Amino acid sequence: MQEYFIIIISAVLINNIVLSQFLGICPFLGVSKKLSASLGMGGAVSFVLVLAGALTWTVQTYILNPFKIGYLQTIAFILIIAALVQFVEMAMRKYSPPLYKALGIYLPLITTNCAVLGVAIINIKKEYTFGKVMVHSLSHAAGFTLALVLMSGIRERLEDADIPESMRGTPIALVVAALMSMAFLGFSGLI
Amino acid sequence: MSLMSEFSKGIIKENPLLRLMLGCCPALAITTSVENGLGMGAAFTGVLIASNMAISAMRKIIPENVRIPVYVVIIASFVTMTDQLMHAFTPALYDSLGIFIPLIVVNCIILGRAEAFANKNPIIPAIIDAVGMGIGFTLALVLVSSFREVLGAGTFLGIQVLPESAPAILMILPPGGFITLGCLLGLMNKLQKKAA
């Protein structure tokens, strides 16, 4: 039990996927201008991340490892993620139009989101069991959403601030991210 | 003449990292030392040249509808090759770059060049474009990592340049990456405005 707890704390706060592992920076900077959009993106990424975590682990354990073709990992994983995103998009459009409306535009972007592939690879590197893979993926998804929502809250206020012209937009967003990541460094003493 | 401009556009005018804001993830994560920056830049440039060449060579036989999956598979194959080569010949660099080598697959610059340039142009311009973009990205990585290594560790390519007590450790920790890239982008914007 304690092991799972440590995985959760370390993935959400200490090794936050955006602020200390630098995965998923593109959506973090691109979609964090509005709170509602960042919630949508967070939801879509979490959904795909957890599903992809489960699928890639299964493929690695039952197909790549027994046949000793581990070197095909990168190709296999990216195909799984691309297919999964496409499939989720189709299923959502058919069975849950409101959800599709809310998350739909973010879905195609997720294929090239390094957070999804990154977490899948970390899962395998750490040799987790299936239960731990699920907990680990879920916590990273929660960490991503947390960082995105916090960031969009700050950026909504930055709109009104008087910032030197050349720093407006992405540059100031990166400086804000630096301050947030400094705050998250404070969690590193937790475990 | 036009080949020259295909080459030079990637270095300054359309620098993938500093002007187009593509490929931020590796640029923030592995720029803790100049050596890592150079290694990542070289691996990236290799993959970009190979994939641009292959996609340009096959541009007439790849069906329009499935082009993105085809590009992704081509890129992933070259990334796998790079990954294996680096594992065999530069094990130390391989360890310090870690998962960011397989993650070259999802680097938006490579897919972006395939879609925007390689599938419309013959092989030679496609290679030149890739070399230019690759050098531009490598230079940007080296720039970011020089700031971080000099200020954070007091060294440059492993040589001590600042007194040992001077370095601000923060610069090689995650916040240093964000703040360096943020300030560099601001500076680029300022210079761009002055030039225009």
Side-chain angles (χ1 to χ4, degrees), chain A residues 18-26 28-29 71-75 78-79 111-114 117-119 121-122 125 165-168 170-172 174-175 177-179 181-182 185, chain B residues 21 23-26 28-29 69 72-73 76-77 79-80 83-84 98-100 102-103 105-106 108 111 148 170 173-179 181-183 185-187 189-190 193:
Chain A
V18 180
L19 296 170
S20 84
Q21 310 248 32
F22 299 115
L23 298 171
I25 302 282
C26 301
F28 178 67
L29 294 174
Y71 58 90
L72 287 180
Q73 193 191 51
T74 315
I75 303 182
I78 191 77
L79 281 179
T111 312
T112 51
N113 183 334
C114 36
L117 183 61
V119 171
I121 296 175
I122 296 174
K125 275 232 162 97
E165 208 184 321
S166 48
M167 287 298 278
R168 264 176 219 164
T170 317
I172 195 72
L174 280 165
V175 174
L179 296 176
S181 126
M182 233 180 269
L185 266 187
Chain B
M21 285 303 297
C24 311
C25 301
L28 289 166
V72 171
V73 173
S77 322
V79 170
T80 307
D83 185 89
Q84 301 282 315
I99 68 166
F100 283 91
L103 283 179
V105 178
V106 283
C108 357
L111 197 60
R148 288 183 72 186
L170 190 73
L173 292 175
F178 283 115
I179 216 159
L181 191 60
C183 295
L185 283 175
L187 198 68
N189 284 345
K190 184 127 195 153
K193 210 155 284 155

Side-chain angles (χ1 to χ4, degrees), chain A residues 45-111:
Chain A
V45 167
S46 308
F47 194 63
V48 175
L49 213 156
V50 173
L51 273 179
L55 265 177
T56 48
W57 185 86
T58 316
V59 167
Q60 177 83 25
T61 317
Y62 293 108
I63 299 179
L64 297 185
N65 284 352
F67 291 104
K68 301 214 165 45
I69 44 174
Y71 58 90
L72 287 180
Q73 193 191 51
T74 315
I75 303 182
F77 282 14
I78 191 77
L79 281 179
I80 293 172
I81 291 168
L84 182 71
V85 170
Q86 197 90 56
F87 180 74
V88 168
E89 196 182 345
M90 287 193 300
M92 230 182 227
R93 187 157 27 177
K94 181 107 191 335
Y95 296 110
S96 167
L99 194 62
Y100 178 74
K101 239 183 194 161
L103 303 184
I105 48 165
Y106 305 113
L107 280 172
L109 294 176
I110 294 176
T111 312

Side-chain angles (χ1 to χ4, degrees), chain B residues 89-168:
Chain B
F89 293 108
T90 52
L93 191 62
Y94 181 84
D95 284 338
S96 65
L97 295 181
I99 68 166
F100 283 91
I101 301 173
L103 283 179
I104 297 178
V105 178
V106 283
N107 191 313
C108 357
I109 305 171
I110 299 188
L111 197 60
R113 289 330 287 171
E115 178 72 11
F117 197 90
N119 73 346
K120 299 189 194 82
N121 289 286
I123 297 182
I124 303 290
I127 294 176
I128 305 235
D129 174 76
V131 175
M133 286 286 163
I135 293 178
F137 187 64
T138 311
L139 282 179
L141 285 184
V142 169
L143 190 62
V144 176
S145 56
S146 330
F147 274 106
R148 288 183 72 186
E149 196 185 333
V150 169
L151 294 176
T155 57
F156 184 79
L157 275 173
I159 304 155
Q160 197 79 30
V161 287
L162 288 182
E164 276 192 26
S165 55

